[in-house]
Amino acid sequence: MLFNYFMPTKIYFGRDVVLKNKDILKDFGKKAYIITGKRSSKINGSLDHVIEALECNNIEYIIFDEVEENPSLETVEKASLIGKNEKVDFIIGIGGGSPLDAAKAIGIFINNPNINKDNINETKDLKSLPLIAIATTSGTGSEVTQYAIVTDHNNQTKKNLGQSVFPNVAFLDPSYTMDMSYDLTVSTAIDAFTHLAEGYLNNNASELTDNMAESGLKLFGKCLKDILKNNIDYSTRENLMLASTLGGMIIAQTGTSLPHGMGYPLTYFKNIPHGKANALLYVEYLNIFKDKSRVNKILRFLNLVDVQEFSTMISKLIDTTVDITEKEVEVYARIMCSNDAKLKNHPEKVGYDEIYNIYMNSLIK
Ligand code: NAP
Ligand code: ZN
């Protein structure tokens, strides 16, 4: 056995954890910068809790509530300029993966005044302002990963910012996720599943990540029946949030694999939400494994018999078709194969033909 493990985020999990632990905010500074989306945090209770916790500690705050889905570098730059002018001490990201990733990027931009959207890739190891992450979806695990996925319109792509920003603290209160629509619940839950699965089917998997992945996959399996029946109570929301956080802790070590790299063009060019984009490719991804031993284990954790039953389950959950041509598939496959980093976590040899076939068999039948 030989492995490394690093995940420095302090996690507070459970109902009302923001208010119950509000005293810790004192250590972060005198002025907070809340980064969130346009609507949901004002409705699900998370923003109210954060404001109450800050006011109890006499901490000043400003709010940027313009983060869009798949946040762009332009938005990050806009929010950063405001944060620099306001001399904020720390960041609180509230929302799904989009506001959390934007918050990480904004923390980097504010703390490094010479950095902007055009030169961010030229310097490594940039440090962020201190960051608190409050997840309101159960999918990305961004609250416990170092990744910040941003949309780079100049290069027409989504990409990792290329800096390592683990939040200092993650507050995980499943009650914020209670009123997510069914569609959002499914798309984000599948994202969590794909992190667990891709971390398990990964060259960088270790004994530790395998143990976490097995627990997370069993948790997801436990939730599946209720998700399929659209009968999702607090206890299932709790399990989904835990599964999502486990997924994040795993991919923080292993990275993701083929479906994630292949899903980004579907999100960028076809506007398919992240979790669904992965889901559309998953049956064919599982089918390309020559050694099916781990794939079969995953199916067992989900209480499914074979890939066919997995496929039926995905079709019940995701009712999405993509309007795509063979030419577009060729372009996406070429983009994917032009970057070794996107292929290297897959444990078997893959190249253009395999990637092309996954796209074609998944999207153009
Ligand atoms: P999201 O893009 O953050 O949010 C999607 C939608 O859900 C938004 O309309 C948002 O509304 C709404 N929403 C959020 N919380 C809600 C709640 N509790 N109730 C009702 N609606 C709610 O979705 P996401 O799937 O969580 O994040 C996807 C992003 O994360 C992608 O950019 C993906 O690439 C990235 N990602 C990052 C990592 C990582 O490790 N950093 C891993 C996987 C994926 P508002 O806009 O009003 O808030
Ligand atoms: Zn993902």
Side-chain angles (χ1 to χ4, degrees), residues 213-336:
E214 291 182 8
S215 302
L217 288 162
K218 284 178 193 163
L219 265 180
F220 181 77
K222 216 163 124 183
C223 299
L224 250 185
K225 268 203 199 102
D226 291 330
I227 298 177
L228 283 161
K229 282 192 273 177
N230 192 4
N231 174 25
I232 309 169
D233 61 8
Y234 182 81
S235 148
T236 303
R237 295 276 177 203
E238 210 170 40
N239 285 334
L240 285 174
M241 191 162 252
L242 184 53
S244 165
T245 299
L246 281 167
M249 290 164 76
I250 293 163
I251 59 167
Q253 319 304 317
T254 61
T256 52
S257 194
L258 306 181
H260 269 74
M262 296 176 70
Y264 289 150
L266 296 179
T267 299
Y268 189 86
F269 293 108
K270 303 290 176 187
N271 209 16
I272 311 270
H274 174 67
K276 280 190 185 174
N278 295 341
L280 287 170
L281 304 165
Y282 238 73
V283 170
E284 295 305 323
Y285 164 62
L286 295 181
N287 275 337
I288 64 156
F289 279 84
K290 294 190 186 76
D291 175 354
K292 290 269 189 302
S293 50
R294 280 186 169 238
V295 171
N296 289 334
K297 276 188 171 178
I298 290 177
L299 296 171
R300 227 177 305 135
F301 297 140
L302 303 190
N303 305 310
L304 301 173
V305 179
D306 52 21
V307 176
Q308 185 51 49
E309 200 182 348
F310 177 85
S311 172
T312 308
M313 182 270 289
I314 291 286
S315 313
K316 277 189 194 147
L317 291 175
I318 302 276
D319 184 18
T320 303
T321 49
V322 189
D323 187 11
I324 190 169
T325 63
E326 218 172 310
K327 276 265 163 299
E328 287 173 313
V329 164
E330 282 170 20
V331 173
Y332 298 177
R334 249 183 272 120
I335 296 173
M336 179 74 187

Side-chain angles (χ1 to χ4, degrees), residues 36-41 44 67-71 94-101 104 136-143 145-151 158 176-181 184 187-188 191 195 248 251 256 260 264 267 274-275:
T36 189
K38 292 188 178 74
R39 245 180 114 247
S40 65
S41 65
N44 61 36
V67 180
E68 73 277 40
E69 291 180 33
N70 308 300
I94 310 176
S98 297
L100 299 192
D101 287 0
K104 293 174 184 179
T136 68
T137 61
S138 297
T140 71
S142 173
E143 68 278 0
T145 74
Q146 67 276 52
Y147 312 121
I149 312 297
V150 289
T151 297
K158 288 186 68 176
Y176 299 149
T177 67
M178 284 308 290
D179 294 329
M180 287 202 295
S181 68
L184 182 63
S187 177
T188 49
D191 191 26
H195 297 159
I251 59 167
T256 52
H260 269 74
Y264 289 150
T267 299
H274 174 67

Side-chain angles (χ1 to χ4, degrees), residues 30 48 56 68 82 88 97 108 119 123 148 162 196 200 215 217 231 242 269 295 327 348 356:
K30 292 193 171 62
D48 283 346
C56 282
E68 73 277 40
I82 298 170
V88 297
I108 291 272
N119 67 12
T123 319
L196 295 161
Y200 197 61
S215 302
L217 288 162
N231 174 25
L242 184 53
F269 293 108
V295 171
K327 276 265 163 299
E348 296 175 353
Y356 175 85

Side-chain angles (χ1 to χ4, degrees), residues 132-182:
I132 295 172
I134 302 180
T136 68
T137 61
S138 297
T140 71
S142 173
E143 68 278 0
V144 290
T145 74
Q146 67 276 52
Y147 312 121
I149 312 297
V150 289
T151 297
D152 176 354
H153 287 302
N154 283 346
N155 293 301
Q156 294 198 312
T157 188
K158 288 186 68 176
K159 65 176 189 191
N160 181 18
L161 193 68
Q163 309 293 336
S164 173
V165 191
F166 281 105
N168 302 65
V169 166
F171 285 120
L172 298 170
D173 183 340
S175 66
Y176 299 149
T177 67
M178 284 308 290
D179 294 329
M180 287 202 295
S181 68
Y182 184 64

